Amino acid sequence: MPVTTEAIADAMYAMVKEYQGKKKFKAGDLTKAMKQQFGEADADKAACKAAIRSLIDSGRCVYTYFGGSFIEIPHEEGAASGG
Amino acid sequence: MAKSGGNGTPMLDELEKGPWPSFVTQIKEAAEIKEQAQDLLKLLERSYHEKIGHWKHGGIVGVLGYGGGVIGRYNDLQSEYPSIAHFHTLRVNMPSGWFYTSEALRTICDIWERHGSGLTNMHGSTGDIILLGTSTDELEPTFKELTDNDFDLGGSGSDLRTPSCCVGPARCEWACYDTLHITNDLTHHFQDELHRPAFPYKFKIKCAGCPNDCVASIARADMSIIGTWRDDIQIDQKEVTAAAKAGLDIQKDVCARCPTQCMDWDGKQLSIDNANCVKCMHCINAMPRALQPGKDRGATILLGAKAPIVEGALLSSVLVPFIKLEPPYDELKDLIERIWEFWGEHGKNRERVGELIQRVGLGNFLEAIEIEPVPQMIAHPRENPYVFYDEYFEEGDDESEDDQ
């Protein structure tokens, strides 16, 4: 049975959540990890792109910029309150 | 703490002296109606005294669904300068060639006075309309008003930056392709790459209509698309004679300055050895009535320019010597996607495509994106040895001898 976009999105979310605060992932990092996990045939570039879009549009993840663009779990930023 | 205006900002006031426009004067004008502009002046004056910047940029601000277009800015003295505690920048996608109606400009300014500081920068170095200074709460309302008025955010972060171009055929007879149309087309075609960062780092496309390269694409764009022609320069001999009669020293100011010395002027007739023309545009610029680019027009695609951020500056180098650029530009789009595919797979974090090519070698890069090496990719003979000919060595030859 082919892997659904939601299944890929869930796997990406789990990965981002596990490493939150320790390592930041770019869209390309997540795509490579999903290709390894599900196989290139099931988790191709288009499927991973759709999964990332689903994560971002649902608000489960956000894009951040720290010298490059990353995908993270939404969190309160220290600098927002002067920290 | 310094007060804005008068003697409250003595160091900033220095920047109002002289005959030039001053951003200080303009911020002071805005400060009459906007508290943010007042605090901005005070904080800047303080930074000049302390020689310390008080801004942090980046972070997690943005609008829902987009990963680019908003650059978060916070100051680290928020209790002293509360109105600019958040002072985020929005990049708004400009129209191709920066053509506006006055109504469109008023619309943008009105939106920004309602939701932000009212301060703008027309335009940023990539070409976007820059809206300077708003709070996180105002981002979504600003975005809604902008999109309701047919504007959209531009690129920022590790994505395709807003493509830009010269005024092209709208104002310039030397345009060798429709820079305005292709820029608009690429912007619409690559919306996903523009708004949802998925690259190792930024990627800029700039379209120049002729080799004059008025948008400096060769120095500022990862992909420079520069108009050119592959037939002969068009000569109007009557206008050549008229230019000479008007006082132009054609031998000294045109022929002698041709970088390949491919022109000849016998006092009556100008001739050009077009096979040796390198399309520098000098003669055409010097005699615009007499000379025109050829009729078989298209563009040269160059790749790899960047400013010195992570590593040193690079100029773009030739990837495709000549391509006809006509809608729907499928050949170009396909090439761009092949480049992104390889870069996305092999690029390191914050590595521009030009740096990737240097790291892996142009030969390997060309093979990966399925482009044949051609002599135009070499800057000078025996320099940049990107092309190797395996057939140079015959079976049994010891290649190491040639390395010594």
Side-chain angles (χ1 to χ4, degrees):
Chain A
M1 204 172 114
V3 183
T4 62
T5 303
E6 283 315 305
I8 298 172
D10 287 344
M12 285 179 172
Y13 182 79
M15 187 175 157
V16 172
K17 193 175 177 190
E18 185 184 347
Y19 286 92
Q20 181 83 354
K22 299 170 200 158
K23 181 171 168 54
K24 296 180 195 298
F25 294 106
K26 304 192 87 138
D29 300 329
L30 294 176
T31 302
K32 282 178 190 168
M34 293 305 109
K35 282 180 179 174
Q36 274 201 323
Q37 185 170 336
F38 295 106
E40 289 212 25
D42 282 330
D44 62 9
K45 196 178 165 189
C48 291
K49 215 172 179 180
I52 291 170
R53 187 163 184 169
S54 147
L55 283 175
I56 299 292
D57 287 352
S58 65
R60 293 171 79 194
C61 287
V62 290
Y63 286 109
T64 63
Y65 180 85
F66 294 95
S69 298
F70 299 93
I71 293 170
E72 295 186 64
I73 308 286
H75 57 276
E76 182 67 30
E77 197 180 353
S81 52
Chain B
M1 187 172 67
K3 291 177 183 174
S4 69
N7 295 322
T9 54
M11 294 186 82
L12 289 181
D13 295 347
E14 290 294 313
L15 298 176
E16 294 187 280
K17 294 175 181 172
W20 308 281
S22 167
F23 74 94
V24 174
T25 305
Q26 293 175 340
I27 298 177
K28 281 181 180 176
E29 282 173 21
E32 290 172 16
I33 54 170
K34 285 281 185 182
E35 190 187 353
Q36 291 146 303
Q38 292 174 26
D39 272 354
L40 183 64
L41 285 168
K42 293 173 194 169
L43 183 56
L44 186 57
E45 178 75 20
R46 179 168 175 166
S47 283
Y48 281 11
H49 281 282
E50 295 176 350
K51 298 181 181 172
I52 293 172
H54 288 286
W55 294 102
K56 181 255 177 191
H57 97 281
I60 56 174
V61 291
V63 296
L64 184 64
Y66 281 23
V70 179
I71 297 97
R73 295 189 201 280
Y74 304 98
N75 85 58
D76 63 357
L77 300 166
Q78 298 191 358
S79 58
E80 293 178 61
Y81 305 95
S83 75
I84 52 170
H86 301 183
F87 203 68
H88 310 315
T89 295
L90 272 81
R91 286 194 187 140
V92 179
N93 196 331
M94 71 295 186
S96 295
W98 302 284
F99 286 100
Y100 299 94
T101 60
S102 50
E103 185 188 353
L105 289 172
R106 285 196 185 94
T107 300
I108 292 167
C109 291
D110 288 347
I111 291 171
W112 197 230
E113 283 197 0
R114 279 195 290 279
H115 297 289
S117 71
L119 296 169
T120 65
N121 170 14
M122 304 290 271
H123 298 82
S125 57
T126 296
D128 299 270
I129 303 160
I130 307 292
L131 305 181
L132 294 160
T134 194
S135 62
T136 304
D137 292 344
E138 289 291 344
L139 291 173
E140 289 290 351
T142 310
F143 179 57
K144 183 178 185 313
E145 276 214 59
L146 287 168
T147 51
D148 286 348
N149 285 280
D150 295 330
F151 285 98
D152 195 1
L153 297 186
S156 69
S158 306
D159 65 9
L160 171 64
R161 299 302 179 84
T162 315
S164 73
C165 62
C166 68
V167 293
R171 296 288 304 272
C172 181
E173 63 200 281
W174 294 334
C176 294
Y177 67 96
D178 191 339
T179 55
L180 304 161
H181 186 271
I182 196 170
T183 300
N184 191 55
D185 188 280
L186 292 176
T187 303
H188 281 91
H189 184 79
F190 291 122
Q191 279 289 291
D192 201 57
E193 288 77 7
L194 182 58
H195 297 308
R196 296 173 190 86
F199 296 155
Y201 204 21
K202 64 182 89 168
F203 190 92
K204 299 181 177 182
I205 299 174
K206 293 193 193 299
C207 304
C210 79
N212 277 335
D213 195 11
C214 291
V215 284
S217 68
I218 200 166
R220 306 194 304 145
D222 296 271
M223 175 171 276
S224 323
I225 304 174
I226 301 179
T228 189
W229 63 94
R230 59 182 170 184
D231 56 351
D232 296 347
I233 291 176
Q234 301 179 66
I235 307 177
D236 183 335
Q237 295 290 355
K238 281 184 188 169
E239 289 292 347
V240 175
T241 308
K245 277 187 182 168
L248 179 67
D249 186 338
I250 293 177
Q251 182 55 43
K252 180 176 163 230
D253 294 332
V254 182
C255 297
R257 290 185 177 172
C258 172
T260 57
Q261 299 291 298
C262 73
M263 308 184 75
D264 189 51
W265 167 244
D266 63 6
K268 291 178 185 169
Q269 192 89 356
L270 181 72
S271 56
I272 302 174
D273 174 11
N274 280 279
N276 281 311
C277 170
V278 290
K279 318 288 194 290
C280 78
M281 292 294 287
H282 170 71
C283 60
I284 296 175
N285 291 334
M287 294 192 289
R289 285 169 184 262
L291 303 177
Q292 289 270 314
K295 290 178 180 169
D296 186 10
R297 298 179 178 189
T300 299
I301 313 283
L302 302 95
L303 199 66
K306 61 174 282 290
I309 300 178
V310 181
E311 290 190 20
L314 293 172
L315 292 178
S316 288
S317 55
V318 172
L319 187 68
V320 179
F322 187 87
I323 185 173
K324 279 286 195 187
L325 285 178
E326 282 155 8
Y329 313 110
D330 287 338
E331 199 181 343
L332 175 65
K333 289 170 185 166
D334 189 47
L335 172 66
I336 292 171
E337 286 180 359
R338 293 202 305 274
I339 292 167
W340 287 345
E341 184 75 35
F342 183 76
W343 181 41
E345 188 66 29
H346 300 281
K348 294 178 181 175
N349 185 29
R350 300 194 81 197
E351 184 175 51
R352 299 283 285 272
V353 73
E355 293 164 340
L356 170 72
I357 294 169
Q358 286 197 325
R359 181 166 61 82
V360 303
L362 184 61
N364 291 326
F365 179 74
L366 293 175
E367 196 175 337
I369 63 166
E370 296 164 23
I371 294 266
E372 286 293 317
V374 291
Q376 287 92 332
M377 293 171 181
I378 298 173
H380 305 288
R382 288 175 290 283
E383 190 179 340
N384 301 347
Y386 296 141
V387 184
F388 297 97
Y389 297 93
D390 289 341
E391 55 269 34
Y392 179 79
F393 299 105
E394 292 179 3
E395 202 173 339
D397 280 357
D398 185 356
E399 295 180 23
S400 61
E401 286 177 12
D402 292 275
D403 295 336
Q404 291 169 359

